[in-house]
Amino acid sequence: MSRVLVESELSYEVREPSNLVFSVTAAHTSHQHPERESLDLQPDCGFTEARIGLAENRIVRTQAESGPFSLRYRAAVQLDAKTERPEDLLESLFADLPNDTLPYLNPSRYCPSDLLAEFAQREFGKTDRGHVRVEAICRWVHEHIAYRHGVTDAHSDACDVLIGRAGVCRDFAHVGISLCRALGMPARYVAGYAVGLEPPDFHGFFEVFLAGDWYLFDATRLAPRGGFVRIGTGRDAADCSFATIIGSAELKTIAVSANPIDGDEGGAVDPSTPLSTA
Amino acid sequence: MSRVLVESELSYEVREPSNLVFSVTAAHTSHQHPERESLDLQPDCGFTEARIGLAENRIVRTQAESGPFSLRYRAAVQLDAKTERPEDLLESLFADLPNDTLPYLNPSRYCPSDLLAEFAQREFGKTDRGHVRVEAICRWVHEHIAYRHGVTDAHSDACDVLIGRAGVCRDFAHVGISLCRALGMPARYVAGYAVGLEPPDFHGFFEVFLAGDWYLFDATRLAPRGGFVRIGTGRDAADCSFATIIGSAELKTIAVSANPIDGDEGGAVDPSTPLSTA
Amino acid sequence: MSRVLVESELSYEVREPSNLVFSVTAAHTSHQHPERESLDLQPDCGFTEARIGLAENRIVRTQAESGPFSLRYRAAVQLDAKTERPEDLLESLFADLPNDTLPYLNPSRYCPSDLLAEFAQREFGKTDRGHVRVEAICRWVHEHIAYRHGVTDAHSDACDVLIGRAGVCRDFAHVGISLCRALGMPARYVAGYAVGLEPPDFHGFFEVFLAGDWYLFDATRLAPRGGFVRIGTGRDAADCSFATIIGSAELKTIAVSANPIDGDEGGAVDPSTPLSTA
Amino acid sequence: MSRVLVESELSYEVREPSNLVFSVTAAHTSHQHPERESLDLQPDCGFTEARIGLAENRIVRTQAESGPFSLRYRAAVQLDAKTERPEDLLESLFADLPNDTLPYLNPSRYCPSDLLAEFAQREFGKTDRGHVRVEAICRWVHEHIAYRHGVTDAHSDACDVLIGRAGVCRDFAHVGISLCRALGMPARYVAGYAVGLEPPDFHGFFEVFLAGDWYLFDATRLAPRGGFVRIGTGRDAADCSFATIIGSAELKTIAVSANPIDGDEGGAVDPSTPLSTA
C-alpha cells in the first residue's frame, strides 16, 4: 500500500468557443482509490463528469470561450496493487476467458494484431505461456525498439513502430498489446501518471489478462510499475486521449507530476513481480 | 411494422478440439424484436450465450470436438423502424452528444478516421450538415467505389479501399464510418441479415448518430434498409465477426437467408427516408 | 527562347568526415543549355562530376572534413522549349512507345501506380486520351489536394497524399505521375529551379510521354512552366535528391533563386500550351 | 564453368488484340553466355528484341490477336561464375562506389529502404562489414520469414513482408535488398532460372555490390547459386516482370526448367563461397 500525489496542469489559448474533453482524473478500481481530488478550471466555466467506453473511463466535458483557459487537477491516490508469483500466472484457456475480456482480443486502430499472427508465433510461439511470455515480449520490445521522440506521431500504429524501430511510451505499449492479442491474450492500453518518470509527463503502459486478472506491463522500463496511477483504460491510445479539443485551442503549457506521499515510490516491488491494479 | 424470417446455417469440419464464438443471433433493440428463436448445434455440445462489448452484442460460445459441426439459427424478427423526415435530422452539436456516443468518434482498426480529416473536409466540408451530409457521403462512396469481391480481404481498412476503389459491403461501411467520424459525427458498424440481398449472405452497413438517435445507412444500395435485421453493432467489422474459431475448423457450407413474412420486405420505405432501428 | 540565371547556395556544418553528393547543376538537353556555369566549394576540397541513372543526371561528388562547408552553383541557362498544340498530343499506343520510355511505366518508391489502376480508371478512364487527360489529372490534383508544408515528409508516397489530401510540390508530382502510369502513360519526376516560385526553393514537377516526346506538367500551378530549369529526371524524388550526405552534416542555410535574364520569365507561354524541354 | 539448359513455355488465351512484353531470355554478362537460343511464338506474329532500363535487360515485344498464343524459349547457357574468398569481400567505402552503383542505394517500389534505417542498424549495425554482413542478413531473413505461397501478392513490399513474416522468393529478395541499402550497400534484384528449384519456376534472388563487384545472394536457400541463370536485373521485381500484358490475355499454362548439361549443377560451389556472375 502506498499513496501518490498526482497533479496536472494544462493551459490553453482558446481561439474560438470550443468543447474540451479531458481525461486526467485518476480512475477508481478495486486497487486504486483517489482521495481529496480537486479540479479547477480557469475561467470557471463549469464541467460535467462522465464515464465512457468499455472501461467506463472518467472524463470531464466543458466548453470554453475564446481566451486563456486552464485546467488543474490534483489528487492523492491510494494504491494497493495485488502482487502474484510469476509462476502462478498462466494464460487463461480461451474457454475460461470472461466475456468482458473478449473485446480486448480484437485488433484496434493502433494495434492491428490481425497482421501479426505469424510474427508473434515465430518470435514467441515456443516460449512458455503465461506471465513469462508477456515478459519475453516486453524484453523483446525493450531490446529491439529505441525510445526516441520525434520519429512517430499520433497516426503511427504498432506495425509502423515495428518497421521504424523507434517510438515513445504509447508506441511501446501498442506493440506489446498487438503481440499479446496476436497470441490470444486479451491486452489493453492504460494511460496514467507514473512516479519517477523523467521528464515528468503522462505515461502509457499496458495490461494483459492472465489467470483471471489484468496485470500491468511496461516495455519502456522508464518508471517502476508500483508507482503507476491509472487514468483510463482502452483498446489503445485512441480511447485514452488526455485532451480532446472540438474547436480551436492551442496548448501553451503542460505540467504533470506524480510523487510518493511518505516517501514510498513503488520501488519496493521487484520489477519482475506481477502486479495488478485493475 | 414488418416481420422477417432470418435463417443461417454454418457447417464446419473441426480438425482439433476448438472454441467457437458465433454472432448470428438477431439483436434486441427498441425497434427490433426477435421471436420464436431456435439455435441448434450438431453435435449438441451445449453453448453459453453472452453479451459483449460496448453495444452488448449477443454471442454464442461453444466448444467442439474434432469432426463435423454445424450451427443452425432461425428467428422471426419483428421490425418497427422509426422513420423521420430528412430535414429534421441535423447533426448534434458536440456539446449535445450523449456520453455513450463519444467512443464512436474514435478511429478504429478498419476506420482510421484520424487520417481522413482533410479528405472529409475537402469533399464534404461545404455540404449542409445533418442527414443530407451523410447521404452525400453515401452517394460519393457508391459512385467512387466498385462493389467487387476478391480485391480486399480481412485486413483492408478504409484507406486501402479509398485507394483501391473497390470492395465489398464491409468496406463500403468502413469508408462511410471513417468519413463521418472525420467530420465529427459518431458512426458505427452494423452486421446483420438483409431481405433482398443477392446472393443471400450476411450484410454489413452502418449507423450515424443524428438529432438524438442512430440512423441506418448503406452505401452499397444492395438491399432496402427496411429489411435489415441487426445482429451486432461495433466500431467496425472487427467487433462483429460472424464466427471466430480458436483452434482449427474449416467452413464447409454457409447458407443465410432473410425473407419477409406476409410479403412485406421493407420496400415500403422510400430509400431517402431516414430510418432508425437502434 | 529565354535565359534564366539560376543560383543555389547550401551551407553545412559537417560533424565528421563525410561524403556529399549534390544534384543542383542544370541538365543539358536538346532544349536546355547551361552556360557560364560556376561551382564553388568552401573549403575547396575538390569534386568529381558524374552522370548517373536512367536519365544520366549530373551529380557532384565530394568529401568534406569536419567543420563548415558550403557549395555555391551559378549558371545562365538558355531555354528553348518546344511547344505544341494540345490537340496534336495524343497518347502513344503502347506498340509505339520507345523502349527507353518503358521503365517509366513501372511503379516506384513514391509512385505505387500498381495500387491505383481502378482509381485512375474511375476518375479519368472516360476522359479523352492524350494531353487533355493529363490536364484533367493536373486539375483534379490541384482541386483535391491542399498545398501545405508539414503534413508529408520524405517517406510519404502518392497514396499517403491521396488519403491525407495535402502536401508539397514533390507530393503533387508523385500523385500526377502515379495516375498517369496507372493509365498506361510513361511519366517521370523532374527536379529543378523555377522562375517566380514563392518563396524561392528547388521545385519538383513531372513529365509525361505523349506523341513522341516528354511534356512538362505541374499540378501545383505555383510557377509558369516556361521558367522551369531541369536539374535531374527520375522515376520519382528518390532519384533526384538535391543533396545526399553519407556521414553527418547539418544544413545551416539554403538559398535558391531563378531569375529571367532580359526580363522574360516564361510567362509568354500560355498555361495550357504543351511544352517540352526534354 | 558449367552449362545449363533453360527452357520456358508460356501459353495464353488472348481475349482482345494485345501487346505482350516478355523477359525470359538469358542475359549476356561477362560470366554468363547464352548459346543456341531459340524463341518461338505461336502463331508466328513476329517480335522485336530490345534492351531496357538501367541494366539493359533483354525484352521481347510482340502483338497478338485474339485466340491462343504461346511463347517457347530455349537456350544453353554457359556459366563461369567468379568466386572469391569471403574475407576478401569488404564493403566498398562510399567514396569508392562507382557511379553506376549509386541508383541501387535508392529506395524503390518494393524495397522502401528509407523506412528501415533504424531497423537495419539495430539488427546488423554491429556485424562486421562486407560479405559477412550480407550473409548475416540472409541468415536473419531465412530464420525470421516463412517461405509460403498465398500470403503476399504483387503489391507486397519489404515492410509488408517484415510484418507478415511470410512470402515467396521475390519477397525474400526484397527484404534482403532493403536491408542492404539501408546499411549503405548497393543492392539489386535479379530474376532468373534456377537449377534444382522445386517445383521448377522462375526465381528471384539478389545482388550486392562488394569490393568492386556484384555478388549473388539468395535468402530462400531453395537452390544452389551456382545454377542461377540471370534473365534480368533491376531495382526490384517491378523492373523484372516475366510477362507484361497490355490488353487482355489469360495465362493458361507455364512450364519452366533449368537443367545442368553434362551433369554439373553448380553444386560444386560451397554455399558460403561468394559468387559473381554480373
Side-chain angles (χ1 to χ4, degrees), chain B residues 37-100:
Chain B
E37 292 185 280
S38 67
L39 182 70
D40 296 308
L41 307 186
Q42 288 295 343
D44 185 2
C45 45
F47 65 87
T48 315
E49 198 182 338
R51 301 288 182 112
I52 63 165
L54 264 180
E56 305 204 331
N57 291 333
R58 292 172 73 188
I59 58 164
V60 167
R61 297 177 71 164
T62 188
Q63 288 179 277
E65 299 301 311
S66 298
F69 171 87
S70 67
L71 167 146
R72 183 157 184 255
Y73 173 70
R74 191 182 163 103
V77 183
Q78 189 176 312
L79 296 170
D80 58 339
K82 182 179 110 178
T83 57
E84 291 288 344
R85 294 188 310 165
E87 58 270 32
D88 292 341
L89 295 190
L90 304 180
E91 270 178 49
S92 302
L93 294 176
F94 182 83
D96 297 331
L97 287 177
N99 294 315
D100 61 6

Side-chain angles (χ1 to χ4, degrees), chain A:
Chain A
M1 188 130 93
S2 64
R3 286 194 309 152
V4 174
L5 178 69
V6 300
E7 292 183 276
S8 54
E9 182 157 7
L10 296 87
S11 73
Y12 293 87
E13 183 64 31
V14 178
R15 300 242 176 68
E16 64 181 43
S18 297
N19 285 272
L20 302 99
V21 181
F22 294 101
S23 184
V24 297
T25 56
H28 295 266
T29 74
S30 44
H31 302 288
Q32 177 176 304
H33 310 281
E35 296 166 354
R36 304 202 313 268
E37 291 184 283
S38 67
L39 181 70
D40 297 308
L41 306 186
Q42 287 296 341
D44 184 4
C45 45
F47 64 87
T48 315
E49 197 181 338
R51 300 290 182 112
I52 62 165
L54 265 181
E56 307 205 328
N57 291 335
R58 294 172 73 187
I59 58 166
V60 166
R61 296 177 71 164
T62 189
Q63 288 178 276
E65 298 302 310
S66 297
F69 170 86
S70 67
L71 167 146
R72 182 157 185 257
Y73 172 70
R74 190 182 162 103
V77 183
Q78 188 175 314
L79 296 169
D80 58 338
K82 181 178 111 178
T83 57
E84 291 288 342
R85 296 187 310 167
E87 58 271 31
D88 292 341
L89 295 191
L90 305 181
E91 269 177 50
S92 301
L93 294 176
F94 181 84
D96 297 331
L97 288 177
N99 295 315
D100 61 6
T101 67
L102 300 188
Y104 297 106
L105 286 170
N106 293 347
S108 59
R109 170 65 181 94
Y110 301 113
C111 302
S113 46
D114 54 307
L115 299 172
L116 292 167
E118 179 80 19
F119 190 121
Q121 278 302 329
R122 289 186 83 86
E123 293 288 346
F124 309 104
K126 286 170 185 156
T127 308
D128 284 348
R129 289 158 166 259
H131 186 271
V132 64
R133 185 145 81 163
V134 186
E135 282 284 302
I137 289 171
C138 288
R139 201 177 317 118
W140 189 95
V141 172
H142 187 78
E143 286 168 4
H144 287 78
I145 299 178
Y147 191 90
R148 194 183 305 149
H149 286 268
V151 181
T152 52
D153 62 24
H155 306 303
S156 306
D157 69 21
C159 292
D160 296 326
V161 179
L162 283 168
I163 291 299
R165 292 291 182 90
V168 296
C169 60
R170 69 180 246 153
D171 302 310
F172 277 60
H174 288 155
V175 173
I177 292 166
S178 301
L179 291 170
C180 287
R181 288 183 190 163
L183 291 163
M185 291 181 275
R188 61 192 198 183
Y189 189 82
V190 181
Y193 297 88
V195 172
L197 187 65
E198 279 304 324
D201 199 350
F202 291 118
H203 195 47
F205 36 105
F206 71 109
E207 276 184 329
V208 182
F209 191 84
L210 294 168
D213 225 329
W214 291 98
Y215 289 84
L216 282 183
F217 295 89
D218 179 8
T220 69
R221 299 186 192 170
L222 291 177
R225 288 163 311 139
F228 287 0
V229 174
R230 177 187 316 253
I231 293 172
T233 311
R235 297 201 183 175
D236 57 31
D239 289 341
C240 302
S241 275
F242 299 109
T244 305
I245 313 293
I246 293 87
S248 177
E250 187 189 357
L251 181 64
K252 306 300 277 186
T253 63
I254 177 168
V256 176
S257 68
N259 290 295
I261 301 173
D262 318 322
D264 182 336
E265 54 175 290
V269 183
D270 188 87
S272 63
T273 299
L275 203 94
S276 175
T277 65

Side-chain angles (χ1 to χ4, degrees), chain C residues 19-21 48-54 59 61 63 94-100 102-103 106-115 154-155 235-236 238-240 246, chain D residues 19-21 48-54 59 61 63 94-100 102-103 106-115 154-155 235-236 238-240 246:
Chain C
N19 285 272
L20 301 99
V21 180
T48 316
E49 198 181 338
R51 300 287 183 114
I52 63 164
L54 264 181
I59 58 166
R61 297 177 71 164
Q63 287 179 278
F94 181 84
D96 297 330
L97 288 177
N99 294 317
D100 61 6
L102 300 187
N106 292 347
S108 59
R109 171 64 183 93
Y110 300 113
C111 302
S113 47
D114 55 306
L115 299 173
H155 306 304
R235 298 203 182 171
D236 58 31
D239 289 340
C240 303
I246 293 88
Chain D
N19 285 271
L20 302 99
V21 181
T48 316
E49 199 181 336
R51 300 288 183 113
I52 63 165
L54 265 181
I59 57 164
R61 297 177 71 165
Q63 288 178 278
F94 181 83
D96 296 331
L97 287 177
N99 294 316
D100 60 7
L102 300 187
N106 293 348
S108 59
R109 170 64 182 95
Y110 302 112
C111 302
S113 46
D114 54 307
L115 299 172
H155 305 304
R235 297 203 182 172
D236 57 31
D239 289 340
C240 302
I246 292 88

Side-chain angles (χ1 to χ4, degrees), chain C residues 10-262:
Chain C
L10 295 87
S11 72
Y12 294 87
E13 182 64 30
V14 179
R15 300 242 176 67
E16 64 181 42
S18 297
N19 285 272
L20 301 99
V21 180
F22 294 100
S23 183
V24 297
T25 57
H28 296 266
T29 74
S30 44
H31 302 288
Q32 176 176 303
H33 309 281
E35 296 166 354
R36 304 199 315 266
E37 292 184 281
S38 67
L39 182 70
D40 297 308
L41 306 186
Q42 288 293 344
D44 185 3
C45 45
F47 65 87
T48 316
E49 198 181 338
R51 300 287 183 114
I52 63 164
L54 264 181
E56 305 204 330
N57 290 334
R58 293 172 73 188
I59 58 166
V60 166
R61 297 177 71 164
T62 187
Q63 287 179 278
E65 298 302 309
S66 298
F69 171 86
S70 67
L71 167 145
R72 183 157 183 254
Y73 172 70
R74 189 182 164 102
V77 183
Q78 188 175 313
L79 296 170
D80 57 340
K82 181 179 112 179
T83 58
E84 291 289 343
R85 295 187 310 165
E87 59 270 32
D88 292 340
L89 295 190
L90 305 180
E91 270 178 49
S92 302
L93 294 176
F94 181 84
D96 297 330
L97 288 177
N99 294 317
D100 61 6
T101 68
L102 300 187
Y104 297 105
L105 286 170
N106 292 347
S108 59
R109 171 64 183 93
Y110 300 113
C111 302
S113 47
D114 55 306
L115 299 173
L116 292 167
E118 179 80 20
F119 190 121
Q121 277 303 328
R122 290 186 82 87
E123 294 288 346
F124 309 103
K126 287 169 187 158
T127 308
D128 284 347
R129 287 156 169 259
H131 186 269
V132 64
R133 185 144 82 163
V134 186
E135 282 284 302
I137 289 172
C138 287
R139 199 177 318 118
W140 188 96
V141 172
H142 187 76
E143 286 168 5
H144 287 77
I145 298 179
Y147 191 89
R148 194 183 303 148
H149 287 267
V151 181
T152 52
D153 63 22
H155 306 304
S156 305
D157 69 21
C159 292
D160 297 324
V161 179
L162 283 168
I163 290 299
R165 291 291 182 92
V168 295
C169 60
R170 67 180 248 153
D171 301 310
F172 277 60
H174 288 154
V175 173
I177 292 166
S178 300
L179 291 170
C180 288
R181 289 183 191 165
L183 292 163
M185 290 181 276
R188 61 191 197 182
Y189 189 82
V190 182
Y193 297 88
V195 172
L197 187 66
E198 279 302 325
D201 200 350
F202 291 118
H203 196 46
F205 35 107
F206 71 109
E207 277 183 329
V208 182
F209 191 83
L210 293 167
D213 224 330
W214 291 98
Y215 288 86
L216 281 184
F217 294 89
D218 180 7
T220 69
R221 300 188 191 171
L222 291 177
R225 288 163 310 140
F228 287 179
V229 175
R230 178 189 314 254
I231 293 172
T233 310
R235 298 203 182 171
D236 58 31
D239 289 340
C240 303
S241 275
F242 299 109
T244 306
I245 313 292
I246 293 88
S248 176
E250 188 189 355
L251 181 65
K252 305 300 277 187
T253 64
I254 176 168
V256 176
S257 68
N259 290 295
I261 300 173
D262 318 323

